[in-house]
Amino acid sequence: MKDTERERKWGNIVGTVAGILILLASLLLATNLCAADAATSPAIPSIFNPQSTPADSIYHLSIFVLAVTGVIFAIVFSLIAYAITKFRRRSEDGAEPPQVYGSNQMEIAWTVIPVLIVLVLFMATARVIHAIEDARMPKGAIEVTAIGHQYWWEFRYPALGIVTANELHVPVSNSSRPSPTFLKLISADTDHSFWVPRLAGKTDLIPNRVNRMWIDPHDVGVYVGQCAQFCGIQHAKMLLRVYVDSPQQFAQWVQEEKRPAQSSDAAEEGRRIFETTSCINCHSVSGTVADGRFGPDLTHLMSRDTIASGATPNTPENLKMWIQDPDAIKPGSLMPAMKLNDPDLDALTAYLETLR
């Protein structure tokens, strides 16, 4: 009977240890898969393949912290496993194990060692925070004002005279031609958080407060992120895209964005509908009477790959659906449904398609 009970207890111990080891192995496998996926596609919002100096600093700090805490876990787990294995049998005389109460050496050790560990982690973290937060803006850097709205992003380039939405364009920055982008973060309504994992850490946008961050992407491509602070019913679909362009591509994009809205006589009826409905109360289009500030600037709407803050691709069909019934794409959106008749809807969509 004693042997059976002993085997059962031993089996429970082995099962617990095996379960923990399997959990750790699964965690390491998931981490490796995420890192591998991030390496193959810049559109995956992963922290395991940083492409900007702030993100790289945060990544290496996290690896250092994980290594330190991993060593602590391995030591503690080993000691617990050793104690459970060695002292699994109760002594026959019922005596208590040797006590170490009052040992000055032990008390000093388990006081000084944790303090030193915390001090090292604190100093490493403070160094990274100082390097990121106190970086000075060099000459030639791009300045962008990012404004968080429910539920979309507004990007203003004060020095360039450009206003766009949801898709941030910045030049690539490398050692031979550094061109970082410094962002001024403002909220128009409630709390938001700007986060593009591969380019930088999270920074909040808080009403009546100005926060700042910067990025210097090393490779061209598209990097995705989103609002990381719950800001309402459509928080999950408040997405954003950062387009990292070559210097030539960025210069071309700037020139195209500075041009006035392009239209045609064929879309004149759609323009009339746009200018005589509530569209102009929220949206603006350069060269027209539309001067709204509650919604995205539509001057170059069709130059964007997505609409509804990245919720759906920017196609004529999706654009028509977005105008007629926004809740079909983004339930809880603050954009009102226009409910136009079919001829007016087709004409308005045709006009918006000319805004390139």
Side-chain angles (χ1 to χ4, degrees):
M1 184 68 179
K2 290 183 178 180
D3 292 339
T4 302
E5 185 177 355
R6 188 181 301 115
E7 290 176 357
R8 181 177 60 80
K9 290 182 178 179
W10 181 248
N12 291 338
I13 294 173
V14 173
T16 301
V17 173
I20 294 176
L21 293 177
I22 292 174
L23 179 62
L24 291 175
S26 301
L27 179 61
L28 291 175
L29 178 60
T31 301
N32 289 333
L33 290 175
C34 290
D37 287 341
T40 59
S41 175
I44 295 178
S46 171
I47 65 171
F48 297 105
N49 188 18
Q51 293 297 325
S52 180
T53 299
D56 187 68
S57 299
I58 294 172
Y59 169 74
H60 284 93
L61 174 63
S62 65
I63 293 299
F64 173 71
V65 173
L66 181 61
V68 172
T69 54
V71 170
I72 296 173
F73 172 81
I75 293 174
V76 173
F77 179 79
S78 300
L79 291 175
I80 292 176
Y82 170 78
I84 292 175
T85 303
K86 183 174 179 61
F87 303 105
R88 64 184 183 277
R89 296 180 182 178
R90 182 175 299 178
S91 59
E92 296 181 358
D93 58 1
E96 292 186 356
Q99 302 298 299
V100 293
Y101 175 78
S103 172
N104 291 334
Q105 292 83 357
M106 290 290 292
E107 293 182 358
I108 291 174
W110 65 48
T111 300
V112 173
I113 293 177
V115 169
L116 292 177
I117 293 174
V118 172
L119 181 62
V120 169
L121 295 178
F122 169 78
M123 295 299 293
T125 304
R127 182 180 66 84
V128 172
I129 292 176
H130 172 72
I132 295 176
E133 295 294 330
D134 296 337
R136 294 186 177 182
M137 184 169 63
K139 184 178 180 180
I142 304 298
E143 295 183 71
V144 179
T145 298
I147 306 173
H149 300 260
Q150 289 180 310
Y151 303 94
W152 60 282
W153 300 96
E154 180 180 4
F155 299 118
R156 294 180 172 270
Y157 299 71
L160 302 176
I162 294 173
V163 179
T164 185
N166 301 319
E167 299 177 0
L168 175 65
H169 283 257
V170 300
V172 68
S173 179
N174 48 51
S175 56
S176 61
R177 189 172 180 176
S179 184
T181 299
F182 281 71
L183 294 104
K184 177 182 177 182
L185 305 177
I186 303 173
S187 173
D189 35 51
T190 186
D191 291 353
H192 302 283
S193 188
F194 190 98
W195 188 34
V196 183
R198 298 188 64 190
L199 299 183
K202 293 185 288 187
T203 304
D204 288 345
L205 294 79
I206 302 172
N208 302 317
R209 179 182 175 86
V210 176
N211 286 335
R212 301 180 187 275
M213 65 181 295
W214 62 279
I215 57 176
D216 60 342
H218 302 153
D219 291 326
V220 298
V222 182
Y223 299 88
V224 298
Q226 73 172 84
C227 176
Q229 176 73 32
F230 182 75
C231 56
I233 189 172
Q234 271 305 318
H235 154 72
K237 287 188 177 181
M238 188 173 169
L239 310 176
L240 65 93
R241 293 183 173 212
V242 178
Y243 289 74
V244 180
D245 302 326
S246 67
Q248 297 76 16
Q249 290 173 328
F250 183 72
Q252 181 181 358
W253 178 81
V254 170
Q255 291 301 319
E256 292 175 351
E257 290 293 313
K258 286 184 175 181
R259 295 174 182 172
Q262 303 296 315
S263 186
S264 65
D265 295 338
E268 192 61 31
E269 177 62 17
R271 175 173 175 170
R272 184 194 64 78
I273 295 172
F274 179 81
E275 294 180 351
T276 56
T277 59
S278 59
C279 298
I280 61 175
N281 295 333
C282 295
H283 299 285
S284 61
V285 176
S286 65
T288 72
V289 297
D291 193 30
R293 291 290 182 268
F294 295 103
D297 187 296
L298 302 181
T299 303
H300 300 288
L301 170 64
M302 298 311 294
S303 67
R304 302 167 194 162
D305 292 334
T306 62
I307 57 174
S309 190
T312 189
N314 188 5
T315 65
E317 295 76 17
N318 290 336
L319 182 59
K320 185 179 296 185
M321 183 186 303
W322 177 243
I323 296 170
Q324 192 72 343
D325 186 13
D327 279 356
I329 295 176
K330 201 169 184 177
S333 171
L334 300 184
M335 177 172 168
M338 298 304 296
K339 300 300 182 183
L340 301 173
N341 58 49
D342 290 342
D344 287 352
L345 179 61
D346 291 338
L348 178 57
T349 305
Y351 167 66
L352 293 177
E353 289 182 57
T354 66
L355 302 179
R356 299 183 181 277

